[in-house]
Amino acid sequence: MESNPQFPSLMEDTILPGSRAAESFIGLTIQPKNTIERGTPVLIGCHVSVSHSNIPDLEHQFQILKDEVPIYSFNTTNSTVLYELNPARAADSGNYECRVTVKDKSKASFSERLDVTGLQTPILFLNNSKPFENEEFEASCSAPGEKGLFIFRFYLKFRTGEPQMIKQLQTNGNSTKTLIKLRHIGDCYLSCDYEISLLSGNKRSNSSNETHVTVKVLNITPVVIVYPSDSVFEGDVVEVICRVVDGPDVEVFLTKDKRILKKVPGKALSHMFTAQERDSGEYVCKAVWGNVQKENYKTIKVKELFSKPKLILEPVDLFEGDRFKLTCKVTIYVPEKIDNSILTYSFYRDNTKIITSNSYISMAHPNMNGNYTCKANASSLGNSFIKESQALVVKAKVPVSKPVLSVVGGTLLLGKPFQLLCQSNSGTLPISYTLYGPGKLNESRVVSKPGDKAIFNCPAIFKSLDLSKFLCHARNHKNMVPMIGSGQLMLKSTNIIEPVSNPELKVDSSEVSEGHSVILNCSVQRGTSPISFTWFHTEKGGPLASLSTNKTEGSFRINNVKGEHGGRYYCMSTNPAKDDKKSNIVMIGVKMAGWKKGLIALFCILIILALVLVISFKVRLIQCRRRRTGRLSVKSASTKVERLSLTLAEVNEAANVTPGMMGKSIWSEHMSGSESDDHISTVTQENPEPQYTEVQTKEADPSRAPVKQGTDTVYSEVRNSQQGTSNIQISEHFCKLCSKIKPGLALK
């Protein structure tokens, strides 16, 4: 979109500080247009219009941004600023905006998009278009008019086929250089292109011009010649010649096993040496020109006149104290050139000569341990040859020491399976351990690595003395007598814990009276101290008491026994073996206290006495009334019931019973009885005169005491007492009648 050069759009209002009314209009234009071809000049204009009063020479701070990154800043009193892109490149594409700051007040215009199409075609340059094979040459690719972040690519193309990328480089500049090495002999073509990274995406250029390259053959491959032959004997003189036939001046190297034997500038070299067995191998001849290298190979075999000496140890399985022998032997391959008579031998220990001989005899000892070698020296055709054997490590083994038996963990629980460790303090590995024990125990372990241990799983034993019956055999040589370790020492070094036996609970009395005390004694027959005893009452959830003691028994006392203490009791015992055992159950009965029994008995006796008194009184009273009826009869015995008027005090006095003992219940009972059979008349205090009562008698009750039958009339004088009650004077007949009461009803 093309912007209006008069800036009619992209306006914003603002009020400048210090002015009464100020307005700002900011506009951005891109000329000639927003989308252009690369190389076209572009003019970016920023215009601001501010209305104000009393602010002379108002300064504007312009800032032009591309993709929100400032690219140009300028301070001026003018209202317009121009920024030129000449020529415009693809890297100039982006979103542009203008920001103006006036009096610390800042405003920005709307953004405008600029698109620059097309990229410059890159230029390829080679410093050598006719290189030799594998020769490095310089190639450069550039786009002088472009800017940005570049990725350059180089391509190789043969007469037929598509271009193939051979290198890629990234740079911030618009050109790059690199070294190229071509191996293909003949004609080929090189080209390049580039790619620019933009915010909107990457843009790729066209390919550069194709440059013709001719790769020439570099004929510098050397020739290797060996005199007199590539197969020689030790002592022969060998010459190796390395030569380049054609080509430019080069540098020649002769190497073996990556070690340079000789190096000369020029086209040929010669290397001479006296052949030894170690000289056998592959020889490499290299010709180097610049960074181009050609190689050729030759293998030389040097045959031995006699073999390397071989060191032999006897015996192979050597222990300290054993006698050993070292022998140095060689094998002669070419008897016509050398014989055994001219060979001499020397022995060395840790590179120190110890003897000149073909054998060495000594006694095994730690001081004799070390690395042994032997050297064989021979002369042939004026040449001397010395060969050394490989080192033989002689280290006498240490005989196994007497093993020691110990309980794993140091604690043995009788009656429980356990583990035994059999270990020797010294001895060369591997060591074979065999454990013998009760019950025909026979087990073996082999310790082959440091840190390994011979641990045996053993069945339970029930006596501490059984621990002394274990034996351990240790050996590290089959021809040596095994060392024997006994379990006798374990009795002193082992913490032996015997679990407690089943406890037995006893009480001093199975029946206890209230208020007394009872002792519960819990005991075991055996067990390692300390022993813990705990007492339980089955009717209660938790333990009653606990006791830890060094004895085999413990007691728990219950004081002031009550009824709730009765029931079933048991105890449990344990010790460091952590094997809890439960006792038998005992029953404890609680009897009532004696004073409670006496009180109850006394209460019962009092009740019985009261009943007896009541019954006796009723019987006597009835008999007395019947007796009087016979003497005071006025009417026939078959007419009405007897009538008797008595005072309460006189009745109680006759029965020798106090009023408190009789109670009101006795009189209520008599009153109820009088309503049916007898009527007791009351006597008032108002009539002091004597009164006579007519008494009629019935036939005697056969179940009661016999009385005299008849219709005799008995008169009794009834008087009123001074206290307001009737006094009854009982006659002699009444006394006789009372004496006839049955003994079972009489009061004793």
Side-chain angles (χ1 to χ4, degrees), residues 307-516:
S307 66
K308 274 187 176 182
K310 184 178 181 181
L311 200 55
I312 301 173
L313 172 65
E314 293 177 326
V316 177
D317 202 7
L318 182 63
F319 281 81
E320 292 181 0
D322 292 348
R323 191 178 183 86
F324 70 95
K325 179 181 180 181
L326 289 171
T327 304
C328 189
K329 291 185 177 181
V330 297
T331 301
I332 297 176
Y333 299 125
V334 187
E336 60 271 17
K337 290 190 175 184
I338 193 171
D339 59 50
N340 197 27
S341 60
I342 62 173
L343 288 172
T344 59
Y345 302 92
S346 301
F347 281 89
Y348 296 81
R349 182 178 64 241
D350 298 329
N351 297 323
T352 301
K353 187 175 181 180
I354 54 177
I355 192 174
T356 300
S357 175
N358 64 343
S359 63
Y360 175 67
I361 300 174
S362 183
M363 187 72 69
H365 188 270
N367 295 335
M368 301 302 296
N369 295 338
N371 295 326
Y372 285 81
T373 58
C374 73
K375 293 181 180 180
N377 190 354
S379 298
S380 174
L381 303 177
N383 295 318
S384 178
F385 303 98
I386 299 176
K387 294 186 178 182
E388 186 176 11
S389 69
Q390 291 184 346
L392 176 65
V393 178
V394 175
K395 185 176 181 180
K397 296 181 179 180
V398 179
V400 67
S401 62
K402 182 179 180 180
V404 177
L405 275 171
S406 61
V407 176
V408 176
T411 301
L412 172 65
L413 300 180
L414 294 181
K416 300 290 184 181
F418 61 99
Q419 291 182 321
L420 283 181
L421 170 65
C422 186
Q423 188 174 26
S424 297
N425 292 329
S426 62
T428 303
L429 301 178
I431 300 175
S432 176
Y433 296 94
T434 303
L435 182 68
Y436 300 92
K440 297 182 180 179
L441 178 65
N442 185 350
E443 292 188 13
S444 297
R445 299 282 189 276
V446 177
V447 176
S448 302
K449 297 184 296 183
D452 288 353
K453 296 181 179 180
I455 297 178
F456 299 88
N457 296 320
C458 302
I461 60 174
F462 299 91
K463 297 180 181 180
S464 58
L465 291 178
D466 290 343
L467 200 60
S468 62
K469 298 179 181 179
F470 288 90
L471 295 176
C472 179
H473 290 196
R475 68 167 65 190
N476 59 353
H477 193 283
K478 61 182 179 179
N479 296 327
M480 298 178 66
V481 177
M483 302 299 291
I484 302 175
S486 173
Q488 188 68 34
L489 296 177
M490 289 192 294
L491 294 174
K492 297 181 180 180
S493 61
T494 304
N495 180 23
I496 301 176
I497 298 177
E498 182 179 12
V500 294
S501 60
N502 290 327
E504 181 182 8
L505 181 62
K506 294 181 180 180
V507 294
D508 52 359
S509 177
S510 60
E511 290 190 0
V512 186
S513 298
E514 288 183 327
H516 290 192

Side-chain angles (χ1 to χ4, degrees), residues 601-617:
L602 179 60
F603 181 73
C604 293
I605 291 172
L606 292 176
I607 292 177
I608 293 172
L609 288 175
L611 292 175
V612 170
L613 289 175
V614 171
I615 294 172
S616 299
F617 176 76

